[in-house]
Amino acid sequence: MNIHEYQAKQLLKQHGVAVPSGEPCKTVAEAKAAAEKIFAAGHTLAVIKSQIHAGGRGKGTFKHGFKGGVKLAKSVDEAVNFAENMLGQTLVTVQTGPEGRVVQTILVAAAEKILKEFYLAVLLDRANSRPLIMASTEGGVDIEEVAAHTPEKIIKEWVDPAVGIQPFQARKIASGLGLKGDAFNGAVKLIMGVYKTWWESDASMVEINPLAVVETPSGKEAIICVDAKIGLDDNALYRHADIQAMRDLAEESPLEIEASKYALNYIKLDGSIACLVNGAGLAMSTMDIIQHFGGMPANFLDVGGGASKDQVSAAFKIILSDPNVKAIFVNIFGGIMDCNVIATGIVEAVRETGLKLPLVVRLEGNNVAAGKATLAASGLTIISGDTMADAAKKVVAAVAA
Amino acid sequence: MSILVTPQTRLLVQGITGAFGARHAQLSIDYGTQVVAGVTPGKGGQIFEHRGVKVPIFDTVAEAVRETKATASAVFVPPPFAADAILEGVDAHLDLVVAITEGIPVIDMIKVKRAMQGSTTRLIGPNCPGIVTPGEGKDSHGGCRIGIAPGYIHKRGNIGVVSRSGTLTYEAVFQLTSRGVGQSTCVGIGGDPVNGTSHLDVVQMFMADPDTHGIIMIGEIGGSAEEEAAEWIKAHGTKPVAGFIAGATAPPGRRMGHAGAIVSGGKGTAQAKFDAFRAAGIGVAATPSEMADTLLKMM
């Protein structure tokens, strides 16, 4: 699960991490009040940030023509103007696709005077199954570029999960970033807090980019998280009611939400051949084999190892509500699952939905003969494929026809 | 021979009284596997009975091991309790713990792996279909089936299969069996980002097993375990290996069903894994329909 920047900063703050003072606002009136507070506290700039689950906000454009999903305001009036142009409007960025996302919330925060930017992240290192803290002096830029071209500029520190992060590790990182004095001490506390946020929230990733040394209104140096991104481990949400409450359904695809109600794993893609498959690996391979024979998959859909008739029926309705779909490819390897149950589910779903599109079915495994007989006896025009390759060729041909 | 388990392996099932665990304990008994004990805390003293086979249930793994000499365990315990169940098996000095459970929090598995350092127990999974060493009987009856794989698609023979995905493993096994080619052992290592046993671990076991003559290695996007195995094969491989990687068409940044199947930060792409396979002389199946044929052509 992903959460908004303002929610990520709330979690960080709970773990003692310094973030700029600010508030999430859902109305222009709230934004005005938040901006007034910031200017009253002596700040000379406020930043107004659109809250959507996609990157590239600063360079994005709203559908009504307003440019920039992140803006700096020099006055309360300016902040109000930006809030009016963002709230309720649709922001299009490189990551949202052309349809964009409606901005429901903006973060109004103090814009500190940034002296130097850094990068900080905590993630799982899959190679050794340990938490990894990554930091770099190259902040505010694409870290993948840094990793590819100047890997020596990335500091890595692994944490022993038996004892947790030790202060010396945070000191090593702060020193590696070239920090001194107040900024050094602040960074040590901040790094410890960012790590604890990752561990205690069951995050999959905490990314602070940029982390910044700033000059506070009183002229002192401080280190704070200017931007923050947190991804969470879905499997651990059951033990974090507070984080579950942060889920924003408006940021998720309606079809994916519908699929999750039936315990179906569905991801919408851009192609024209819908897939219905059991098992994640087979579902991915089904997409791959469609592309191999010249087609484009419309979705990833794993109905799981023990799919029921209801799930098959729900799956059909979901894939058919994608207007790009021109044909359907059902690929089932029924190991334990009874192929005849699946076949019955397919026949019912086709009748219920009045399916007009070409349907190619490849069934293999347990009780496959009965399953194939059920399909044949249905009187429906179902194209049968013997192997995955045979079925994939047939479905690609059906779309091309 | 085979790797990890033989038809004589004495299996205990943790979570044998749950619907999922019970169903697959029954299927393992039907397959002829030596299911000697069940563990469900609070139900010790009861009997799990299936087709005349009586399996005693214990409150703890330690007690089950002491009373029945079980050496391997299948974990069917729900996700919030699965890490504890795995470590209970480790504490009881089992040779093998196979965690079928899907949905264990990553941090729980990070702790489990740390706690297992220095232990002699091998963990397979979690989120995996388990292990099958096929038997000599009809439809490979009489083998050792730990987990949820369909036993009947197997055939006793000399090909080792290792995979992160369940259904894709069955696909490869079915292709082999349909061509009259049997398997020594088939191992599903699971689709989670933190798992007990890697592709490399299993490949090394297959290379050392005199009865395994060729290997099918199936991977998917995410992580770099396939690359590590390929690198080792390049330097030390002595048997033909063919493989496939699922997820070439997966969009970056999205988890494709398995928690570990994600391309993040440009890492873990199918392309990088296929390249590593080719560089190591591993036969690459152009489509998942050709996994068996690709290997058989090399043998």
Side-chain angles (χ1 to χ4, degrees):
Chain A
M1 188 180 91
N2 290 318
I3 57 176
H4 289 294
E5 175 196 358
Y6 79 90
Q7 296 166 322
K9 286 179 172 170
Q10 284 168 356
L11 281 179
L12 287 162
K13 205 174 165 187
Q14 285 166 21
H15 291 89
V17 176
V19 299
S21 56
E23 285 165 45
C25 305
K26 288 189 181 294
T27 66
V28 174
E30 283 174 12
K32 183 166 186 272
E36 280 166 351
K37 245 197 243 175
I38 288 162
F39 287 106
H43 294 280
T44 53
L45 276 177
V47 63
I48 319 297
K49 306 177 89 173
S50 301
Q51 299 294 291
I52 57 169
H53 288 187
R57 292 172 298 169
K59 289 185 181 133
T61 302
F62 287 87
K63 281 196 170 165
H64 66 294
F66 186 75
K67 286 201 186 319
V70 176
K71 300 291 260 186
L72 284 172
K74 293 185 207 67
S75 66
V76 173
D77 285 350
E78 215 177 2
V80 167
N81 174 37
F82 294 150
E84 283 168 347
N85 274 295
M86 290 181 189
L87 283 168
Q89 299 293 338
T90 304
L91 177 60
V92 179
T93 80
V94 287
Q95 288 185 13
T96 60
E99 67 275 20
R101 298 273 175 83
V102 176
V103 176
Q104 314 272 6
T105 306
I106 53 174
L107 174 61
V108 178
E112 313 278 357
K113 186 179 172 198
I114 294 176
L115 302 176
K116 175 111 182 66
E117 294 186 328
F118 303 92
Y119 175 92
L120 177 67
V122 185
L123 64 160
L124 163 71
D125 185 349
R126 292 172 61 160
N128 62 8
S129 302
R130 289 196 173 203
L132 168 62
I133 305 174
M134 290 208 310
S136 176
T137 50
E138 306 304 294
V141 297
D142 185 353
I143 196 68
E144 289 163 30
E145 291 291 311
V146 180
H149 302 296
T150 47
E152 71 281 0
K153 288 190 173 166
I154 295 182
I155 301 164
K156 292 183 177 181
E157 189 70 25
W158 285 267
V159 177
D160 181 341
V163 292
I165 187 171
Q166 300 300 302
F168 81 84
Q169 297 185 290
R171 293 197 296 270
K172 267 169 79 183
I173 295 166
S175 162
L177 293 176
L179 296 167
K180 300 280 179 212
D182 286 348
F184 178 91
N185 289 328
V188 171
K189 180 167 181 270
L190 182 141
I191 292 163
M192 301 284 288
V194 169
Y195 178 80
K196 281 179 185 153
T197 306
W198 185 86
W199 181 263
E200 288 169 15
S201 312
D202 276 295
S204 49
M205 162 96 147
V206 176
E207 185 176 54
I208 314 296
N209 191 22
L211 170 71
V213 174
V214 298
E215 191 184 306
T216 64
S218 56
K220 277 191 168 174
E221 274 192 9
I223 188 155
I224 57 168
C225 300
V226 173
D227 200 355
K229 195 171 152 188
I230 295 184
L232 297 140
D233 178 2
D234 291 343
N235 291 341
L237 286 174
Y238 73 89
R239 56 191 177 198
H240 299 284
D242 55 332
I243 296 172
Q244 274 179 53
M246 291 179 173
R247 184 172 176 190
D248 183 353
L249 291 175
E251 291 290 333
E252 297 175 27
S253 140
L255 287 181
E256 291 175 16
I257 296 168
E258 185 63 17
S260 68
K261 289 181 193 159
Y262 295 92
L264 300 167
N265 218 320
Y266 171 89
I267 294 172
K268 194 186 169 315
L269 303 169
D270 299 329
S272 59
I273 299 174
C275 320
L276 190 162
V277 191
N278 66 327
L282 195 61
M284 275 188 271
S285 316
T286 304
M287 291 162 40
D288 298 346
I289 202 169
I290 288 170
Q291 181 151 309
H292 180 82
F293 288 114
M296 285 297 282
N299 64 274
F300 168 90
L301 175 58
D302 171 13
V303 297
S308 65
K309 275 194 295 188
D310 288 349
Q311 279 179 306
V312 173
S313 168
F316 261 87
K317 283 175 196 152
I318 286 160
I319 56 186
L320 286 175
S321 48
D322 173 357
N324 295 333
V325 169
K326 301 279 181 284
I328 300 175
F329 181 6
V330 175
N331 184 15
I332 301 287
F333 193 100
I336 302 298
M337 184 195 273
D338 186 332
C339 287
N340 198 28
V341 171
I342 293 292
T344 310
I346 293 169
V347 170
E348 274 181 25
V350 170
R351 292 217 170 104
E352 263 179 55
T353 54
L355 180 73
K356 299 279 182 289
L357 301 173
L359 169 63
V360 179
V361 177
R362 182 268 180 151
L363 275 183
E364 194 55 79
N366 188 17
N367 208 13
V368 67
K372 285 185 176 171
T374 298
L375 293 180
S378 69
L380 300 167
T381 39
I382 295 172
I383 306 163
S384 183
D386 289 332
T387 63
M388 261 177 97
D390 179 46
K393 281 182 210 165
K394 283 175 176 165
V395 77
V396 171
V399 168
Chain B
M1 269 303 285
S2 55
I3 65 165
L4 295 162
V5 291
T6 70
Q8 287 72 44
T9 297
R10 297 173 70 78
L11 176 67
L12 74 84
V13 177
Q14 290 173 261
I16 197 167
T17 55
F20 191 40
R23 165 99 172 109
H24 286 284
Q26 288 169 352
L27 289 168
S28 286
I29 291 168
D30 290 343
Y31 192 63
T33 302
Q34 307 300 310
V35 180
V36 298
V39 173
T40 297
K43 295 199 175 170
Q46 298 182 14
I47 299 288
F48 179 87
E49 193 169 350
H50 178 63
R51 295 200 177 155
V53 177
K54 290 185 171 141
V55 181
I57 300 175
F58 299 89
D59 287 320
T60 67
V61 174
E63 202 185 348
V65 167
R66 197 164 59 234
E67 296 297 322
T68 68
K69 309 224 164 8
T71 57
S73 159
V75 176
F76 285 96
V77 170
F81 318 107
D84 176 47
I86 293 168
L87 290 176
E88 188 180 1
V90 174
D91 175 71
H93 302 292
L94 289 169
D95 294 336
L96 183 69
V97 173
V98 182
I100 307 303
T101 309
E102 176 173 7
I104 304 177
V106 167
I107 285 187
D108 290 9
M109 285 311 303
I110 291 175
K111 291 180 189 167
V112 164
K113 280 215 69 163
R114 180 65 178 86
M116 284 183 70
Q117 270 185 17
S119 108
T120 53
T121 302
R122 172 167 292 285
L123 171 67
I124 304 275
N127 188 14
C128 77
I131 308 176
V132 176
T133 288
E136 306 277 3
K138 181 176 183 289
D139 292 336
S140 74
H141 186 271
C144 180
R145 170 190 182 272
I146 302 181
I148 58 174
Y152 70 93
I153 62 170
H154 295 80
K155 175 183 160 70
R156 185 94 197 101
N158 304 105
I159 303 300
V161 179
V162 55
S163 167
R164 274 160 74 182
S165 143
T167 39
L168 217 41
T169 312
Y170 313 157
E171 187 76 39
V173 169
F174 187 79
Q175 287 172 19
L176 288 166
T177 301
S178 311
R179 285 156 182 76
V181 179
Q183 306 88 40
S184 50
T185 301
C186 302
V187 186
I189 58 174
D192 275 4
V194 177
N195 56 14
T197 294
S198 66
H199 278 105
L200 174 57
D201 296 331
V202 180
V203 164
Q204 287 175 334
M205 286 184 253
F206 280 140
M207 290 288 181
D209 171 33
D211 286 337
T212 297
H213 301 162
I215 301 166
I216 291 182
M217 174 162 72
I218 306 166
E220 60 193 34
I221 52 166
S224 56
E226 292 86 353
E227 287 92 325
E228 282 159 27
E231 208 160 294
W232 185 88
I233 290 167
K234 190 177 175 182
H236 308 284
T238 51
K239 299 173 185 176
V241 183
F244 181 74
I245 302 292
T249 49
R254 297 297 309 262
R255 273 173 216 284
M256 307 304 287
H258 285 155
I262 180 168
V263 173
S264 55
K267 295 252 171 70
T269 64
Q271 191 57 48
K273 292 170 192 288
F274 276 128
D275 289 347
F277 275 17
R278 288 194 185 94
I282 296 170
V284 171
T287 74
S289 274
E290 294 155 60
M291 292 186 287
D293 289 338
T294 304
L295 178 67
L296 296 178
K297 266 182 219 154
M298 297 170 70
M299 295 186 68

